[in-house]
Amino acid sequence: DAKTTQPPSMDCAEGRAANLPCNHSTISGNEYVYWYRQIHSQGPQYIIHGLKNNETNEMASLIITEDRKSSTLILPHATLRDTAVYYCIDENTGNQFYFGTGTSLTVIP
Amino acid sequence: NAGVMQNPRHLVRRRGQEARLRCSPMKGHSHVYWYRQLPEEGLKFMVYLQKENIIDESGMPKERFSAEFPKEGPSILRIQQVVRGDSAAYFCASSRYTGELFFGEGSRLTVL
């Protein structure tokens, strides 16, 4: 079973920051947290991953708490094209990369 | 630099027929994963393969489903004697190492 917990859905106004939380309380010391998203029925798309430090790339920022039990994906200026299901994955699931049910983000004009 | 290529994109089969789904990983990637997604549901892991080896098939149904990743050529997911419940989108992903997965656009199987 999935080891991460995410809210099932969120709304965000266009142009505002979208903050998507994830709990991964069973994560171990050397395991990464990965974020993916799936737009409509397309193939999932890798967004970002991190271990301990906060990470930023051209798509998003990832904030990981000091105890590493939770993280937040930040889309700094959400656009309509960011409407998607966002998956937080704990590497603790081993080979299988359990995607769970994710958070369905709707960006509102 | 071509991404993960899956074909066919859409496949229609009658009950009892066989379905073969192909996945060509990205260049340089030796890890392949197959996932199934039923309508309105999340992605479910099926199998993880490396060249010529099945590493983890714990998500594969015990009967009718098989997967391979030969030394040459694409990875194949084979479903024998399809039933209506097999109708789903099947996604393949590849990676150079474990972790960052690159997904194809999926193969959508419809069983009549």
Side-chain angles (χ1 to χ4, degrees):
Chain A
D1 291 333
K3 302 291 177 58
T4 62
T5 304
Q6 299 177 253
S9 63
M10 292 181 63
D11 293 339
C12 177
E14 186 178 16
R16 304 297 291 268
N19 298 292
L20 295 99
C22 176
N23 289 323
H24 30 81
S25 57
T26 61
I27 199 168
S28 298
N30 295 320
E31 291 155 353
Y32 285 79
V33 175
Y34 290 82
W35 283 82
Y36 288 78
R37 72 179 182 184
Q38 187 175 26
I39 296 173
H40 193 46
S41 56
Q42 297 177 18
Q45 176 189 24
Y46 164 83
I47 300 174
I48 199 167
H49 72 283
L51 182 63
K52 295 181 180 179
N53 301 319
N54 298 336
E55 302 288 343
T56 296
N57 63 19
E58 65 277 6
M59 290 183 67
S61 295
L62 176 61
I63 308 298
I64 302 174
T65 57
E66 191 169 343
D67 65 4
R68 304 211 322 116
K69 301 302 183 185
S70 64
S71 61
T72 300
L73 180 75
I74 301 173
L75 308 178
H77 306 286
T79 71
L80 299 179
R81 288 178 294 181
D82 292 322
T83 292
V85 178
Y86 287 77
Y87 297 97
C88 164
I89 300 166
D90 169 4
E91 195 181 26
N92 184 37
T93 57
N95 296 323
Q96 303 184 11
F97 283 87
Y98 283 109
F99 276 72
T101 53
T103 295
S104 178
L105 174 69
T106 302
V107 179
I108 302 169
Chain B
N1 184 17
V4 176
M5 304 300 293
Q6 290 189 248
N7 66 83
R9 293 291 305 278
H10 300 274
L11 182 63
V12 179
R13 285 287 179 265
R14 296 188 180 278
R15 280 178 297 172
Q17 291 185 318
E18 178 179 289
R20 282 187 180 231
L21 309 177
R22 289 175 291 277
C23 170
S24 296
M26 287 182 67
K27 186 176 180 180
H29 287 192
S30 60
H31 302 250
V32 167
Y33 304 76
W34 285 93
Y35 288 81
R36 176 165 63 176
Q37 188 170 36
L38 296 171
E40 307 303 322
E41 294 189 12
L43 290 153
K44 300 294 185 185
F45 168 82
M46 298 183 75
V47 62
Y48 163 46
L49 311 101
Q50 294 181 23
K51 282 288 187 180
E52 300 185 274
N53 289 303
I54 296 175
I55 306 302
D56 184 344
E57 57 180 348
S58 57
M60 289 277 272
K62 294 290 185 263
E63 298 177 349
R64 303 188 297 109
F65 285 72
S66 63
E68 62 176 8
F69 188 17
K71 185 177 180 180
E72 301 291 337
S75 175
I76 306 288
L77 179 66
R78 181 185 180 200
I79 311 172
Q80 296 177 287
Q81 300 175 330
V82 296
V83 301
R84 288 209 173 122
D86 297 332
S87 295
Y90 292 84
F91 289 98
C92 168
S94 74
S95 68
R96 186 183 299 273
Y97 311 106
T98 58
E100 185 178 339
L101 305 183
F102 293 84
F103 281 83
E105 290 304 313
S107 292
R108 281 150 184 84
L109 172 65
T110 301
V111 180
L112 302 178

